[in-house]
């Protein structure tokens, strides 16, 4: 358990990236007071207005950055290849324990905020209750409880089935009453057995009713879309955020890019990338001992799929779409400390390293409506800070080895 930090703390390093894509600050001093950033100063350019005895954390050779934000995780899934249909049969208590382990894994890796995109029933809210009671030190949790889905739709096991404009309005009200931070909706099928990824599930009318009710209650809406028609519906309904934004066609494993969809999304919503999911699947299946022809065929299928996703992301970015970084941790083989892989894939789609970092810091915070609170190292923001050896604007890989993780002014991990 972390102990309360001193009122004033100073952190010094070789450089600082504030998360916005601004030029680095050389020889920075970050002054933290009561968990909030009091000031960020370059070199000796400050007039100290803090106690001389304030403790100083020194990180020579390191870069300071905002704690990272993973915009798409599933806290109650293990990310070890266990079939979804097996995990969802576990008792809720077991799933809360799993969620706690997953959240701690993320925090140790420098991920100080998790946006959960759907967990079993009330388990994510119960985890947050435990966090608030001080039973565990966990990242900030941004929760939707469970995704709203059509009867029998993607992730229906989680408990969010609702149909028809009145039904979805009622579900939004229930979710808000339960304490969610935002609303997640499945607008197409997905990896759930019996659902169809290449077709929309909800009608535009249903989506419009849900978005309208969510906005009335000051909640943003993230919409899972794996085909172009679903994305078109979500944008038409006023969604704030699209998850995946794939272009799957009826021909399984193939995608057909549609420029008008990219243009519509660029004007309306942020997109969570989730590029690493397929990458981790390929890695896991390839490394499996005794892989037969079936596994090899699956690896090839996923490779083609990953190439298609990367290509579509490149084109969407060129069309002006704002990407934020999310891993889909928990799903299939995606680990809770896999966010750096996602940033590397965003870079492979054409983002400069500092743009990839913004997608997991200031950009992610803005997409969640938390701009001004987290995701940037500037005065007034929460002191969620990581120190990594070397320079991540030259090599994103160094983000895998944070020497220090600070959450709200408390050092929660040292490596
Ligand atoms: Zn997901």
């Amino acid at each position: 358990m972390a102990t309360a930090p001193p009122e004033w703390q100073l952190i010094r390093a070789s450089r600082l990236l504030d998360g916005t894509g601004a030029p680095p600050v050389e020889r920075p001093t970050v002054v933290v007071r009561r968990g909030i950033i009091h000031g960020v100063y370059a070199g000796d350019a400050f007039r100290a207005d803090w106690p001389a005895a304030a403790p100083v954390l020194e990180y020579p050779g390191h870069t300071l950055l905002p704690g990272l934000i993973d915009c798409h995780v599933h806290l109650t899934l293990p990310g070890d290849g266990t079939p979804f249909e097996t995990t969802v049969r576990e008792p809720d208590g077991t799933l809360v324990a799993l969620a706690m382990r997953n959240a701690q894994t993320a925090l140790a890796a420098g991920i100080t905020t998790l946006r959960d995109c759907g967990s079993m029933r009330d388990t994510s809210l119960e985890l947050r209750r435990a966090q608030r009671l001080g039973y565990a030190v966990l990242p900030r949790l941004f929760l939707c409880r469970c995704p709203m889905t059509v009867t029998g739709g993607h992730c229906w096991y989680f408990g969010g089935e609702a149909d028809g404009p009145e039904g979805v309005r009622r579900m939004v009200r229930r979710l808000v009453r339960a304490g969610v931070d935002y609303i997640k909706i499945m607008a197409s099928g997905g990896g759930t057995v019996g659902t169809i990824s290449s077709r929309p599930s909800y009608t535009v009318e249903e989506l419009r009713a849900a978005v309208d009710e969510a906005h009335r209650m000051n909640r943003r809406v993230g919409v899972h879309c794996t085909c172009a028609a679903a994305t078109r519906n979500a944008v038409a309904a006023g969604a704030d955020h699209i998850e995946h934004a794939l272009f799957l066609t009826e021909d399984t494993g193939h995608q057909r890019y549609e420029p008008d969809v990219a243009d519509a999304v660029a004007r309306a919503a942020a997109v969570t990338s989730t590029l690493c999911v397929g990458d981790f699947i390929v890695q896991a299946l390839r490394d499996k001992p005794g892989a037969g022809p079936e596994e090899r065929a699956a690896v090839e299928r996923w490779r083609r799929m990953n190439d298609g996703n990367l290509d579509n992301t490149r084109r969407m970015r060129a069309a002006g779409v704002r990407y934020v970084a999310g891993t889909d941790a928990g799903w299939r083989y995606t680990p809770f400390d896999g966010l750096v892989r996602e940033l590397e894939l965003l870079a492979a789609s054409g983002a400069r390293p500092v743009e990839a970092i913004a997608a997991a810091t200031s950009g992610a915070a803005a997409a969640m409506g938390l701009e001004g609170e987290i995701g940037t190292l500037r005065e007034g923001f929460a002191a969620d800070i990581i120190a990594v050896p070397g320079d991540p604007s030259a090599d994103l890989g160094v983000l895998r080895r944070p020497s220090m993780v600070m959450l709200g002014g408390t050092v929660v991990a040292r490596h």
Side-chain angles (χ1 to χ4, degrees), residues 183-386:
I183 301 293
K184 164 91 186 288
I185 304 176
M186 302 300 200
S188 66
T192 302
V193 171
T195 69
I196 306 171
S197 313
S198 55
R199 289 185 199 159
S201 48
Y202 279 119
T203 64
V204 185
E205 289 66 36
E206 288 171 311
L207 292 176
R208 215 170 255 144
V211 171
D212 180 61
E213 192 61 25
H215 286 172
R216 204 180 64 75
M217 302 299 291
N218 296 324
R219 298 304 194 280
R220 294 195 178 202
V221 182
V223 186
H224 159 104
C225 300
T226 47
C227 61
T231 304
R232 212 177 266 123
N233 287 349
V235 170
D240 307 291
H241 199 141
I242 309 289
E243 313 299 322
H244 319 299
L246 305 186
F247 291 87
L248 290 181
T249 61
E250 300 283 328
D251 181 6
T252 314
H254 285 78
Q255 303 205 48
R256 192 176 46 246
Y257 184 77
E258 300 192 24
D260 71 295
V261 171
D263 291 340
V265 173
R267 285 191 298 272
V271 173
T272 310
S273 51
T274 70
L275 290 163
C276 68
V277 179
D279 207 62
F280 283 117
I281 291 175
V282 167
Q283 202 177 304
L285 296 183
R286 200 189 45 206
D287 298 346
K288 221 176 199 170
E294 212 169 293
E295 277 89 354
R296 281 198 292 275
V299 166
E300 271 325 298
R301 214 168 43 244
W302 274 104
R303 256 195 234 286
R304 273 202 308 277
M305 178 83 167
N306 295 346
D307 290 346
N309 285 341
L310 200 58
D311 207 42
N312 289 336
T313 303
R314 193 176 295 122
R315 297 170 80 173
M316 293 271 273
R317 281 180 39 79
V321 172
R322 277 175 292 136
Y323 270 90
V324 297
T327 58
D328 225 339
W331 186 256
R332 306 272 183 140
Y333 291 95
T334 310
F336 275 78
D337 55 2
L339 186 58
V340 181
R341 185 69 196 127
E342 186 66 27
L343 299 190
E344 289 169 342
L345 289 166
L346 276 172
S349 81
R352 289 181 300 125
V354 289
E355 291 173 325
I357 289 167
T361 54
S362 66
M368 293 155 75
L370 299 176
E371 63 272 28
E373 295 177 39
I374 59 168
T376 303
L377 294 191
R378 287 193 185 163
E379 184 184 339
F381 284 76
D384 294 357
I385 303 171
I386 59 174

Side-chain angles (χ1 to χ4, degrees), residues 121-132:
R121 292 180 285 270
D122 287 311
T123 50
S124 63
L125 295 163
E126 288 162 358
L127 180 71
R128 177 152 69 190
R129 178 69 186 149
Q131 176 188 38
R132 286 181 177 164

Side-chain angles (χ1 to χ4, degrees), residues 75-105:
L75 282 163
T76 55
L77 296 178
D80 62 1
T82 305
F84 183 43
E85 279 72 16
T86 304
T87 302
V88 296
R89 281 197 211 101
E90 300 297 345
D92 285 5
T94 306
L95 296 176
V96 173
L98 170 63
M100 184 175 287
R101 182 205 70 176
N102 288 340
Q104 287 170 337
T105 299

